[in-house]
Amino acid sequence: MYKNLAGRAVLAWVTACFFCFLSPAFSQTAPPKPPLAKDALKIGFVYVTPVTDAGWVRQHEEGRKAVEAALGGRVNTTFVENVPEGADAERVIRDLAQQGSQLIFTPSFGYMEPTLKVAKDFPGVKFESITGYKTAPNVATANARYYEGRYLAGIAAGRMTKTNVAGYVAGFPIPEVLQGINAFTLGMRSVNPKAKVIVVWLNEWFDPPKERDAAMALFNQNADVLAFHTGSTAVMAAAQERGKMAVAYHSDMRKIAPDAQIVAVTHQWGGYYTQRAKAVLDGTWKSGNLWGGVKEGMIRVGDFGTKVPKAVQQEVLARQQDIAVGKLQPFRAVAGDVRDNEGRVAIAKGAQLTDEQILQMNWLAEGVQGRVSR
């Protein structure tokens, strides 16, 4: 689940819902699908966890459904869930290609190398390596600027905290996670200069009991709002249990934490997936590398909880619009130098980090408790 376009470590984007609110299968009535055209485009999706009600894979499943809704009988989609990264991923991707899939989406960083390997053997098939960074003539890559949503969530958390202490449950100190922590902190301190952020590193992407324990430990350190970059909904459930607040990630998690959710940073893949499927259908598909965010509709902040005042909601949404039009950049120093938590200037006043600098981030912002090795 977690990855970075510049990070070269093989990381697993592992996202699953820990507390799922599932209706019995017999109560579900699926709408009839439109008849498939004889030349319907076969599209395959490979998921790193089971499809659940919230999380990384849920958002990609919503993207698959959006393709079907937009293109109807012109496409025939299928997915394989709970596929570990590595040899299993290569086998599944290869099977999809052999079974006639003409477009295959592989949304997990650890799928990048297996995707490239299979693509060499199937030059007529188009592949989309989501969160990968290596392209080929028939392999495109795409990722989202998750940090933009983190900055906006920080604004909301900065307005909602009463203790001026936020907690952050994090998997590994890779650039993408550091981007999120720093953007969240900068957003929070833009409206609440006294705010500080305590980070707990788990060295795990998905371990619900460990995530819950970390959340509880942060609440015991006076944090009254939490954010997380891990795979389950355990942090949200912990906040609900303790009567505290938290920021949902990947998906809207109000089912899990109806009273605790401040806001959700959600990933929106439907538009991109539909665009790419259309390109295959009309013969215009080309390999490329997209890093999209709020402007492209790939990151959205919303789904506010009932405890969040309208004024706070309106402020966050206004800043989201500012990001969309380029008026606000989370890693631009406007009022003064942005320093790291060791006192060094990380962004000089008036400067803005380049994409390359963001993708190689290896520092923590002032206000964050914790260190990263360099």
Side-chain angles (χ1 to χ4, degrees):
M1 190 183 59
Y2 300 85
K3 65 286 148 210
N4 189 278
L5 298 178
R8 296 301 198 254
V10 177
L11 308 170
W13 270 91
V14 186
T15 310
C17 172
F18 184 48
F19 298 96
C20 296
F21 291 73
L22 301 176
S23 300
F26 55 78
S27 68
Q28 305 300 310
T29 302
K33 291 186 177 181
L36 295 175
K38 289 183 179 180
D39 58 348
L41 177 69
K42 291 189 70 174
I43 307 175
F45 293 78
V46 185
Y47 298 149
V48 74
T49 73
V51 177
T52 55
D53 274 4
W56 173 256
V57 165
R58 164 50 57 185
Q59 296 309 110
H60 290 280
E61 173 64 359
E62 292 302 315
R64 182 188 69 83
K65 291 180 178 179
V67 174
E68 287 192 339
L71 301 178
R74 300 178 67 195
V75 297
N76 181 9
T77 75
T78 187
F79 68 87
V80 183
E81 59 186 320
N82 203 22
V83 179
E85 295 167 321
D88 284 343
E90 182 183 337
R91 174 182 55 79
V92 170
I93 297 166
R94 189 174 299 278
D95 284 348
L96 287 169
Q98 290 173 337
Q99 292 166 16
S101 292
Q102 299 151 281
L103 174 62
I104 299 175
F105 291 94
T106 57
S108 191
F109 181 83
Y111 291 164
M112 180 179 68
E113 295 295 347
T115 298
L116 289 163
K117 191 172 182 181
V118 175
K120 287 183 180 179
D121 297 332
F122 293 87
V125 178
K126 307 297 189 293
F127 296 84
E128 295 276 345
S129 177
I130 306 304
T131 73
Y133 61 87
K134 294 181 180 179
T135 62
N138 61 331
V139 180
T141 63
N143 201 356
R145 296 178 184 269
Y146 310 104
Y147 67 86
E148 292 181 345
R150 296 291 196 180
Y151 183 91
L152 297 167
I155 293 174
R159 294 299 189 193
M160 296 303 295
T161 182
K162 295 179 180 178
T163 65
N164 298 324
V165 180
Y168 208 111
V169 180
F172 292 88
I174 63 168
E176 182 182 299
V177 179
L178 298 176
Q179 293 163 22
I181 294 169
N182 289 340
F184 178 82
T185 303
L186 292 172
M188 195 174 185
R189 288 167 68 89
S190 74
V191 298
N192 185 347
K194 296 180 180 179
K196 66 178 181 178
V197 178
I198 305 173
V199 178
V200 173
W201 297 106
L202 298 187
N203 295 318
E204 300 278 358
W205 290 129
F206 181 75
D207 188 332
K210 201 170 180 179
E211 293 168 55
R212 181 185 183 280
D213 289 346
M216 293 300 185
L218 287 165
F219 288 138
N220 291 339
Q221 294 179 65
N222 208 33
D224 61 352
V225 296
L226 296 188
F228 62 95
H229 200 144
T230 49
S232 83
T233 57
V235 170
M236 299 301 294
Q240 179 72 19
E241 180 182 337
R242 287 287 292 268
K244 305 295 185 179
M245 305 198 79
V247 174
Y249 191 53
H250 305 305
S251 306
D252 177 9
M253 295 181 177
R254 284 175 293 183
K255 284 187 177 180
I256 291 88
D259 303 313
Q261 182 163 307
I262 299 174
V263 68
V265 179
T266 59
H267 310 163
Q268 308 292 323
W269 296 101
Y272 177 77
Y273 285 177
T274 300
Q275 177 189 13
R276 300 303 279 170
K278 284 181 177 177
V280 176
L281 284 166
D282 62 26
T284 62
W285 188 97
K286 293 181 180 179
S287 176
N289 186 344
L290 174 68
W291 196 22
V294 170
K295 178 181 178 180
E296 293 79 11
M298 296 173 74
I299 294 296
R300 185 181 71 83
V301 166
D303 307 311
F304 296 95
T306 57
K307 295 181 180 179
V308 182
K310 286 293 183 183
V312 174
Q313 297 183 34
Q314 291 169 356
E315 179 181 21
V316 172
L317 294 177
R319 298 294 80 73
Q320 181 165 240
Q321 182 58 27
D322 287 344
I323 290 178
V325 299
K327 184 178 178 180
L328 170 62
Q329 297 285 347
F331 295 124
R332 178 192 294 161
V334 178
D337 294 341
V338 171
R339 296 181 179 273
D340 67 15
N341 65 355
E342 296 177 26
R344 292 183 284 250
V345 175
I347 313 172
K349 181 180 178 180
Q352 177 180 323
L353 294 187
T354 64
D355 281 355
E356 183 178 3
Q357 290 172 319
I358 296 171
L359 290 167
Q360 295 177 359
M361 190 169 286
N362 67 345
W363 50 274
L364 289 169
E366 183 179 20
V368 180
Q369 292 188 4
R371 298 189 69 178
V372 293
S373 58
R374 291 184 174 85

